[in-house]
Amino acid sequence: MLLKIENLTKSYSGPDGRVPVLQGISLSLDAGETLALTGESGSGKSTLLHLIGGLDHADGGRILVGGQEVTALDDAGRAALRRGMVGLIFQQFNLIPSLTVRDNIRFQARLAGREDPAWAAALTDALGLTEQLTKYPEDLSGGQQQRVAIARTIAARPALILADEPTGNLDEDTADRVMDQLTRLVDEAGATLVLVTHSSALASRMARQCHLSHGRLS
Amino acid sequence: MIAAALSSLWSYWRRNPLQLATMIGGLALATALWSGVQALNTEARASYDAAAAVVGEGRYDQLVPRAGETLDEATYLALRRAGWQVSPVLVGSLDLGEVALHLTGVDPLTLPAGAGAAGQVAAVPLAQFLAGEVMLAHPADLAQFGTAQSIDLIASPAITQGMALADIGAAQRLLGQAGAISRLVVAPDQPLGRPPLAEVAPELLLQPAQGGSDTAQLTDSFHLNLTAFGILSFAVGIFIVYGAVGLAFEQRRAMIRALRTMGLSMRFVVVLLGAEIAVISLVSGAIGVVLGYLLAASLLPDVAATLRGLYGAQVAGTLQLHPSWWLSSLGIALLGGILAAASAIWRMSRLPLRAGRDPQVWAMQSARGQRLQLVLGLALLVLSGGFVVAGGSLLAGFARVAALLLGAALLLPPLLEVALHVAQRRARSVTAEWFWADTRQQLPRLGLALMALLLAITANIGVSTMVSSFRLTFIGFLDQRLIAEVYVSAETDAQSAAIEALADDGITVLPLLSVETRIGPQKVDLYGARVAPVYEQYWQFLAQDGDVWSRVAAGEAAIINEQFARRAGLWPGDSIPISPTVTLPIAGVVGDYGNPLGQVIIGEELFITLFPETRARQFGLIGGGADALMARLEAEAGFDPAQMIDQTALKAASLEVFERTFTVTSALNVLTLAVAGAAILMSLLTLASMRVPQLASVWALGVTRHRLGQLELARAVALAVLTLLFALPLGLALAYLLLAVINVEAFGWKLPMYLFPADYARLAVASIGAAALAALVPALRLARTPPARFLQVFANET
Ligand SMILES: Nc1ncnc2c1ncn2[C@@H]1O[C@H](COP(=O)(O)OP(=O)(O)OP(=O)(O)O)[C@@H](O)[C@H]1O
Ligand SMILES: [Mg+2]
């Protein structure tokens, strides 16, 4: 069991008091499994992902990643967990503008202490980034940037990859290609993937599908 | 329409109060520093004048009676009517039982403004002074008075102990000498075509100004350098404003584009922006005036004197801001604001109306721009080295200073870029590598603040080196020039003889014979000196050849001063024609910081053979203590105290005044650093919000907020250290230019440059501390950023 969520709750304070977003989520994922998370805008998909990645605090319930209880860790502990086990991919790419593509790709792996030049080279090759290695993120197109983000994440060999609408900013063709590459590489790396998406076509490519609405999974 | 446009422009400042505060604060501080330096200059001048007043208005020519102690009021009036600009002075001893005060009565209405007494008189309301109701004395002396005086006493620390100052009418009354005048001070500017003295008042003798103790030229050099410092401080402030304005305009691109899409012409928008800058500048200037006032008041020990100097001499007591002072401060603030905004407005005016992919960072430059900057910076440095503008004028000297500073400022970012690049290459850990890369990326935005820091540190090193070198030189010069305990001017041959007679009692008498003459095209003062061991003991030569004094005593060689040597290009080994028949080799060149004139010193005997008709009128006396000597001369030979200068006291007073200006300079140094620190703080704060997305990424990848905060602090320190390394040689170069170029051009002498490593070390600690302090708030903020703030970046709520 790589990811285990038990009765997770989360609310935000709104203008009229607390607004519940997640109201008792439970979920288990085995290593190597892939899961598509769908749901309306505002249903709490990103919130759930952030909680799993230890970017935010839950109100109640437990999250275990690789046997470690995320919900019980302090700031530094959660940072260490992210470095070691979790890879995050966002819609906005979130590359580091001051580093070249090559350094962006190496960055996370080095943070995790798992730098593997051969693996990184294979990834850049597979993602068609070989030409771009010395460029800076601002010189890349959106699709290229997202491929760098994917390479960065997978190069670090995280056990769990959390992807939040990774192709939301890309046109359909590019999105398809990027998703192909992502799923293939996740498969190759044997990683577990949680993919947030609005597209049912994309969702169907995952081994499992969950729909989030009114704070619950179905 | 205007109102709508204005309110939209203003809405930006409302949402970014910090930026507005940066701008106003920067400009206000710059203005305050500028006016603070002005205040310091004024104060120092007033103090030196006060010191000169101790020696009895020695700066000016005086008319004294040929016979008797006093002259008639009628003579005075006749002179005034004939057009002579003279001012009456009555001196006398005011007996107070136990003690006596040396009372000077002056007429403030006619007294030359540069006279020390004029400054002191301004401490009291003029009407009260003129009415003869008040008398000024040193606070320590006030205790000696009974309460039953017919006059109000006012304590004034500017007055030397044992002296008192009153209106001449009051003095005549107190001394019981109605209508009496001791002497007339001759104002420096006299109308042309006035009748000669022999016609109007043959009974009076024109006694020329006493040159020997005049430090005015020396202090002028000091003031010049301080003014340079004031301009530098102001430049540091302008850098802050420049940064803030640029950012504000950059971030309002979309708004301005919208305004234009909605039908406002570019010209109109530019006018609005210009007006906005003008308003902000004026508000800042006003705050700066108040700050400058407070600065002056807190820095200068003699607040009253400062305020007097600044806010006009005519009224005192009430704090009335002198219009010329605050108007010029407002003007300089306005000028600074417009200067800082000009390029931003210009760039704005060229903004295309169609929204496109704006280059993200306005300060971010293309590689070509950076190369251009590098080349320009190098070119300016070469220029400042004097390879192009060789020698020349004072203006050229200042151009070199400007080129040095501007060139260095331009070079700073490219140099830092190189240093950071190297650091990044050599970084071992991934965090370190990111750290250096990230620092590099921020360089364009931090560049201006770092330039401000560079200028501040450079100015500090340059000015403190200059001031400290100046101080050492000044002390040495005082020791050399004020060898005697008492300096006496004789008015008659009888008095000269009386002085010479003192030698019989074991007192060293050093007569100073002098004539004005010409050597080649140059006007010089030629002195005949009686060589004594004290000269050998205290005089130091910039260049010398053999045993200078014995050669001079033997009439075989001459000493010349530095300004003459430089102007004529004559040094030891060369010869100068002293008279048609006598040519002497130069044995020594001596530093002379008291006057701009060339001087040549030869032995007394040779002088007398060359100029037999010249009598010594000025004497230095050593032996037995100044007070005893003066008392003896007054009692035995009827010398007026005004004819004698207590050199020991003068030396002490001059040093004390100098120490005071010295303290204030170091305080100003600290302030300049504080301004630079503020510049860094402001840049970091404005950067902080822009950097959230990037930091969020790094945080999401597993770098703790705590660590990010630490790195933020480390960044500021690293940049400060790098800047400091660059500033050190630059500061020394600045000091060199001030001491060895500007001074030579302006005054004809070169001040020796000394190094003060301990001062520099202290400065290094202070500037790194300032940078760290400035980074502390942003770093703490970063370390405590709520994760929610980072999460917004990932929320996809676009
Ligand atoms: N920091 C916050 N403070 C208050 N409310 C928040 C905060 N973050 C999210 N919310 C609210 O929580 C709810 C869930 O947000 P979340 O971003 O998880 O939705 P989502 O499913 O990812 O939507 P989308 O598909 O648009 O990305 C929304 O109603 C949102 O307004
Ligand atoms: Mg979302």
Side-chain angles (χ1 to χ4, degrees):
Chain A
M1 195 84 52
L2 185 80
L3 172 67
K4 188 169 176 62
I5 301 173
E6 291 171 355
N7 202 22
L8 189 68
T9 56
K10 174 74 181 175
S11 60
Y12 287 112
S13 48
D16 324 308
R18 304 293 294 180
V19 181
V21 179
L22 303 178
Q23 312 186 28
I25 304 275
S26 296
L27 177 74
S28 304
L29 272 184
D30 281 327
E33 260 193 304
T34 57
L35 172 80
L37 190 59
T38 54
E40 280 174 26
S41 187
S43 57
K45 305 181 296 293
S46 297
T47 303
L48 178 56
L49 232 53
H50 292 161
L51 289 175
I52 299 171
L55 298 174
D56 205 352
H57 290 272
D59 295 343
R62 301 203 314 157
I63 302 173
L64 289 123
V65 174
Q68 280 201 67
E69 190 175 342
V70 181
T71 32
L73 290 172
D74 64 357
D75 232 32
R78 289 205 301 265
L81 177 85
R82 283 201 298 280
R83 279 200 301 272
M85 299 202 65
V86 182
L88 292 144
I89 302 173
F90 302 102
Q91 183 176 341
Q92 268 96 5
F93 323 134
N94 290 300
L95 298 177
I96 297 172
S98 51
L99 297 180
T100 60
V101 167
R102 183 203 305 279
D103 289 338
N104 261 291
I105 293 174
R106 289 164 68 214
F107 190 74
Q108 194 171 356
R110 294 179 67 192
L111 270 186
R114 281 198 286 269
E115 195 181 7
D116 179 349
W119 175 232
L123 284 174
T124 38
D125 198 37
L127 289 162
L129 292 169
T130 321
E131 306 279 286
Q132 326 292 342
L133 285 177
T134 54
K135 291 187 180 167
Y136 283 86
E138 60 177 10
D139 301 326
L140 300 186
S141 73
Q144 286 170 330
Q145 288 194 46
Q146 193 57 295
R147 271 177 280 193
V148 174
I150 290 170
R152 171 175 77 178
T153 305
I154 295 179
R157 295 187 185 278
L160 177 63
I161 295 175
L162 306 170
D164 193 349
E165 297 180 52
T167 55
N169 270 356
L170 305 177
D171 66 78
E172 223 170 297
D173 283 354
T174 317
D176 274 351
R177 236 174 305 128
V178 167
M179 265 327 287
D180 282 345
Q181 288 162 331
L182 175 64
T183 44
R184 207 181 62 236
L185 291 171
V186 165
D187 205 39
E188 254 174 66
T192 308
L193 173 68
V194 178
L195 173 78
V196 169
T197 181
H198 284 288
S199 144
S200 45
L202 269 187
S204 64
R205 293 165 68 164
M206 300 295 117
R208 283 171 59 185
Q209 287 84 28
C210 276
H211 189 77
L212 186 60
S213 78
H214 302 293
R216 292 174 200 284
L217 280 181
S218 55
Chain B
M1 180 175 80
I2 295 178
L6 276 181
S7 80
S8 70
L9 283 178
W10 174 243
S11 70
Y12 174 79
W13 295 118
R14 236 188 8 240
R15 295 210 47 208
N16 295 276
L18 194 64
Q19 229 164 299
L20 185 63
T22 309
M23 218 159 107
I24 293 183
L27 203 48
L29 273 178
T31 314
L33 270 175
W34 165 259
S35 46
V37 172
Q38 301 294 93
L40 168 63
N41 262 341
T42 315
E43 161 72 357
R45 239 179 250 285
S47 305
Y48 283 115
D49 286 343
V54 176
V55 304
E57 312 303 337
R59 292 179 58 173
Y60 298 99
D61 290 355
Q62 300 189 0
L63 297 176
V64 293
R66 285 181 188 278
E69 292 286 314
T70 57
L71 55 99
D72 287 341
E73 211 152 25
T75 317
Y76 163 61
L77 293 174
L79 276 165
R80 293 282 318 180
R81 269 198 303 274
W84 278 74
Q85 299 297 307
V86 290
S87 180
V89 174
L90 175 66
V91 293
S93 187
L94 186 59
D95 208 356
L96 299 167
E98 295 270 298
V99 289
L101 276 187
H102 186 70
L103 174 63
T104 306
V106 296
D107 174 25
L109 294 178
T110 53
L111 198 63
Q120 291 153 5
V121 169
V124 290
L126 189 61
Q128 212 182 332
F129 191 86
L130 284 176
E133 291 165 2
V134 294
M135 180 166 84
L136 301 172
H138 190 274
D141 283 331
L142 286 185
Q144 310 278 0
F145 292 103
T147 40
Q149 295 293 329
S150 60
I151 194 159
D152 279 342
L153 296 164
I154 293 183
S156 167
I159 302 234
T160 316
Q161 230 175 314
M163 311 272 272
L165 187 65
D167 179 66
I168 188 159
Q172 288 169 344
R173 177 161 49 84
L174 288 168
L175 296 171
Q177 290 183 282
I181 295 169
S182 304
R183 56 177 184 264
L184 298 171
V185 177
V186 182
D189 300 318
Q190 294 289 335
L192 288 173
R194 65 190 200 284
L197 185 63
E199 228 168 76
V200 195
E203 67 274 33
L204 296 185
L205 185 76
L206 183 72
Q207 186 180 306
Q210 297 159 356
S213 63
D214 192 5
T215 52
Q217 283 286 329
L218 183 60
T219 58
D220 273 349
S221 142
F222 185 66
H223 293 313
L224 184 70
N225 292 323
L226 271 184
T227 304
F229 183 46
I231 294 171
L232 262 179
S233 311
F234 189 71
V236 170
I238 292 306
F239 268 92
I240 309 179
V241 182
Y242 179 75
V245 169
L247 187 65
F249 282 21
E250 185 64 28
Q251 293 184 340
R252 281 191 294 184
R253 274 186 176 196
M255 175 200 296
I256 286 163
R257 194 175 272 133
L259 286 178
R260 291 185 57 200
T261 359
M262 288 182 287
L264 297 189
S265 72
M266 191 66 238
R267 178 179 310 208
F268 184 72
V269 171
V270 166
V271 168
L272 277 188
L273 289 174
E276 178 191 80
I277 267 297
V279 169
I280 289 177
S281 303
L282 288 177
V283 170
S284 316
I287 296 174
V289 169
V290 175
L291 280 180
Y293 172 97
L294 294 176
L295 183 72
S298 63
L299 282 187
L300 302 169
D302 193 352
V303 182
T306 311
L307 298 182
R308 246 184 290 131
L310 280 180
Y311 309 116
Q314 75 279 33
V315 251
T318 52
L319 286 186
Q320 200 172 26
L321 295 178
H322 199 275
S324 74
W325 186 72
W326 61 258
L327 273 179
S328 71
S329 294
L330 281 185
I332 200 139
L334 193 62
L335 189 77
I338 287 170
L339 220 64
S343 80
I345 291 185
W346 185 76
R347 237 175 304 137
M348 183 68 71
S349 71
R350 290 164 37 105
L351 197 66
L353 186 53
R354 177 184 57 83
R357 257 178 74 180
D358 285 343
Q360 255 288 294
V361 182
W362 73 273
M364 182 91 84
Q365 292 176 325
S366 60
R368 214 178 112 232
Q370 220 162 32
R371 257 201 307 280
L372 192 77
Q373 185 170 338
L374 193 73
V375 169
L376 200 67
L378 281 175
L380 283 169
L381 280 196
V382 170
L383 205 69
S384 78
F387 302 120
V388 181
V389 195
S393 60
L394 181 61
L395 204 66
F398 275 117
R400 282 174 70 178
V401 170
L404 176 75
L405 294 174
L406 196 64
L410 283 176
L411 278 184
L412 181 69
L415 281 180
L416 284 178
E417 164 70 26
V418 170
L420 292 175
H421 195 82
V422 170
Q424 189 185 351
R425 281 275 178 80
R426 314 191 116 210
R428 297 244 167 261
S429 77
V430 62
T431 332
E433 197 176 308
W434 168 73
F435 170 78
W436 292 116
D438 189 43
T439 308
R440 266 175 78 193
Q441 201 212 7
Q442 286 181 61
L443 210 50
R445 283 216 176 265
L446 283 177
L448 285 167
L450 290 174
M451 286 183 199
L453 182 67
L454 177 78
L455 285 187
I457 301 177
T458 303
N460 267 325
I461 294 176
V463 171
S464 66
T465 304
M466 181 274 287
V467 172
S468 300
S469 297
F470 182 85
R471 182 161 163 251
L472 286 184
T473 312
F474 183 77
I475 292 171
F477 172 67
L478 283 182
D479 279 342
Q480 172 179 313
R481 280 308 158 97
L482 304 181
I483 291 177
E485 288 170 23
V486 178
Y487 187 77
V488 193
S489 302
E491 279 163 9
T492 60
D493 287 350
Q495 286 188 335
S496 297
I499 294 169
E500 291 279 16
L502 290 173
D504 300 337
D505 299 342
I507 291 166
T508 310
V509 178
L510 302 170
L512 257 194
L513 295 145
S514 75
V515 288
E516 270 183 26
T517 176
R518 271 181 188 283
I519 290 181
Q522 294 218 40
K523 215 173 109 178
V524 298
D525 284 333
L526 180 68
Y527 286 92
R530 181 177 298 168
V531 177
V534 279
Y535 284 125
E536 283 164 55
Q537 195 179 334
Y538 286 107
W539 281 50
Q540 280 168 5
F541 295 101
L542 299 175
Q544 71 180 89
D545 180 14
D547 183 357
V548 179
W549 286 110
S550 57
R551 292 177 68 195
V552 169
E556 291 163 0
I559 296 169
I560 61 175
N561 68 357
E562 184 189 0
Q563 39 273 55
F564 180 57
R566 285 191 192 283
R567 250 178 260 143
L570 294 171
W571 297 91
D574 299 326
S575 295
I576 45 168
I578 303 293
S579 75
T581 52
V582 179
T583 296
L584 289 180
I586 295 166
V589 174
V590 68
D592 176 7
Y593 312 103
N595 70 85
L597 274 185
Q599 286 185 359
V600 177
I601 300 166
I602 58 174
E604 185 184 18
E605 279 163 37
L606 177 61
F607 187 95
I608 291 171
T609 44
L610 290 174
F611 305 96
E613 73 285 3
T614 306
R615 294 273 174 279
R617 285 284 183 247
Q618 298 177 328
F619 298 86
L621 301 177
I622 308 173
D627 287 341
L629 276 172
M630 284 166 64
R632 183 169 166 191
L633 283 172
E634 194 173 352
E636 290 178 9
F639 277 87
D640 185 318
Q643 286 174 273
M644 301 180 284
I645 302 167
D646 179 346
Q647 300 253 45
T648 327
L650 179 66
K651 194 148 81 179
S654 305
L655 280 181
E656 197 241 324
V657 163
F658 192 78
E659 290 303 321
R660 213 194 282 176
T661 33
F662 192 67
T663 323
V664 178
T665 315
S666 39
L668 280 177
N669 273 342
V670 171
L671 268 172
T672 327
L673 266 190
V675 173
I680 295 177
L681 172 67
M682 298 304 184
S683 325
L684 288 177
L685 285 179
T686 29
L687 264 177
S689 62
M690 287 184 279
R691 281 167 36 80
V692 168
Q694 175 175 2
L695 291 171
S697 307
V698 181
W699 171 74
L701 292 175
V703 178
T704 58
R705 291 174 292 156
H706 189 70
R707 184 93 186 105
L708 288 176
Q710 284 175 344
L711 289 174
E712 199 71 6
L713 203 60
R715 178 185 343 273
V717 171
L719 287 174
V721 168
L722 288 173
T723 306
L724 187 74
L725 288 180
F726 188 39
L728 194 64
L730 192 63
L732 295 180
L734 174 66
Y736 173 80
L737 280 181
L738 289 176
L739 290 168
V741 176
I742 298 285
N743 269 296
V744 175
E745 296 304 342
F747 307 101
W749 60 73
K750 186 171 173 175
L751 289 174
M753 180 166 153
Y754 302 90
L755 295 181
F756 304 88
D759 286 359
Y760 307 149
R762 221 174 303 131
L763 179 67
V765 172
S767 37
I768 291 172
L773 211 65
L776 198 60
V777 175
L780 281 177
R781 268 195 184 183
L782 180 58
R784 294 190 189 144
T785 311
R789 178 97 175 78
F790 284 149
L791 285 176
Q792 282 170 3
V793 176
F794 310 126
N796 297 3
E797 283 169 346
T798 38

